[in-house]
Amino acid sequence: MARTAEALYSLRKVTNLFLPSDQRDAMMIELQTHARSVLRRLGLVPLLDRFRSVWRVGYEDAFSRSLLVEIRPGDCVWDVGANVGYYSQRIASLASRVVAFEPVPETFSRLSKLALPNTTFVNAALGDVRGVLPMGLANNASSLAVLDGNIAEVQVARGDDLDLPQPNIVKIDVEGFEYEVISGMQTRLHAPECRAVFCELHFEVLEKRGLRQTPAKIVKHLRFLGFTKIRWLDASHISAHKS
């Protein structure tokens, strides 16, 4: 997986020199999605997951650095998919306001006990609908997209419907539910005050849902919302900035 990811990342840098951004994004996302699909069909996922658990040390370093360096003292940052607060804690030391979203009750209990300044904890998932939806809880991860393991009923809200401060930066890590989150907060994202989005794309979950083209749709939709500078920070994470 590491060599595959690095090869795709290197190919992406080469294509940056020759192709328009829309064509480049579509081609690279399709290649990346296909490569991951082949590895799964070959039955290499369990072995690669074990390897990745070691390799993952530093896996999100570029994502973390890019996110944290973007935060300004007066910013409001939405941490969508906060889990137990790994990023919320770091963001809270840099931003003026943090809104941390975590739908799983047990995880939210741990998150909300953190003594973080100027932080609002919201016990809900973000999506493109309002109501209660089933969420799968498996392998220390939770997802509205794949109902594996135990099932919990969780609150879901649209970001555009919430009476919360306008975000300047949005971080999204929602295990394959990324497009729904973005679709439910288009007004927030399109607002000129929102200048950056940092998102992890979960290719395997999206393929399980039959949504192989969704990573390309996410990039295209972010461009539509005004984020003209989109970078792949590694094989799974993107940053999107407005000009």
Side-chain angles (χ1 to χ4, degrees), residues 9-207:
Y9 188 53
S10 297
L11 181 57
R12 185 183 306 283
K13 290 193 290 185
V14 172
T15 60
N16 286 347
L17 301 174
F18 301 106
L19 293 177
S21 59
D22 289 346
Q23 294 180 32
R24 181 176 69 236
D25 291 338
M27 184 186 79
M28 290 308 305
I29 294 172
E30 178 59 28
L31 285 172
Q32 189 167 317
T33 303
H34 180 69
R36 292 165 183 260
S37 180
V38 169
L39 291 172
R40 281 190 287 276
R41 287 199 298 271
L42 291 173
L44 296 177
V45 171
L47 176 63
L48 293 171
D49 282 346
R50 287 196 294 273
F51 174 73
R52 190 181 182 189
S53 69
V54 176
W55 176 59
R56 195 177 178 91
V57 176
Y59 171 63
E60 292 189 7
D61 281 357
F63 179 78
S64 180
R65 286 195 302 270
S66 298
L67 168 61
L68 298 178
V69 77
E70 180 65 28
I71 298 170
R72 302 171 186 170
D75 280 345
C76 174
V77 182
W78 283 20
D79 184 359
V80 184
N83 199 264
V84 295
Y86 175 83
Y87 280 107
S88 293
Q89 293 180 78
R90 287 152 181 80
I91 294 168
S93 67
L94 301 170
S96 292
R97 187 74 181 270
V98 181
V99 182
F101 297 88
E102 174 51 48
V104 180
E106 293 81 2
T107 308
F108 180 80
S109 177
R110 292 179 59 187
L111 174 69
S112 60
K113 289 176 183 176
L114 297 176
L116 300 182
N118 301 318
T119 299
T120 300
F121 301 105
V122 181
N123 189 196
L126 291 189
D128 56 355
V129 297
R130 291 181 294 175
V132 177
L133 291 178
M135 171 172 278
L137 311 176
N139 300 322
N140 298 317
S142 56
S143 177
L144 285 165
V146 178
L147 300 181
D148 289 338
N150 297 323
I151 305 298
E153 299 289 322
V154 300
Q155 289 291 138
V156 181
R158 299 174 70 255
D160 283 340
D161 295 339
L162 299 175
D163 184 17
L164 291 167
Q166 166 66 36
N168 305 108
I169 297 173
V170 179
K171 168 251 162 187
I172 302 171
D173 182 0
V174 289
E175 302 288 334
F177 213 63
E178 300 85 14
Y179 190 76
E180 287 84 350
V181 170
I182 292 168
S183 296
M185 58 181 303
Q186 294 184 84
T187 301
R188 297 280 197 177
L189 295 176
H190 191 257
E193 295 87 353
C194 186
R195 67 176 188 275
V197 174
F198 294 83
C199 183
E200 180 167 5
L201 301 180
H202 292 265
F203 286 81
E204 182 175 357
V205 177
L206 291 168
E207 184 167 357

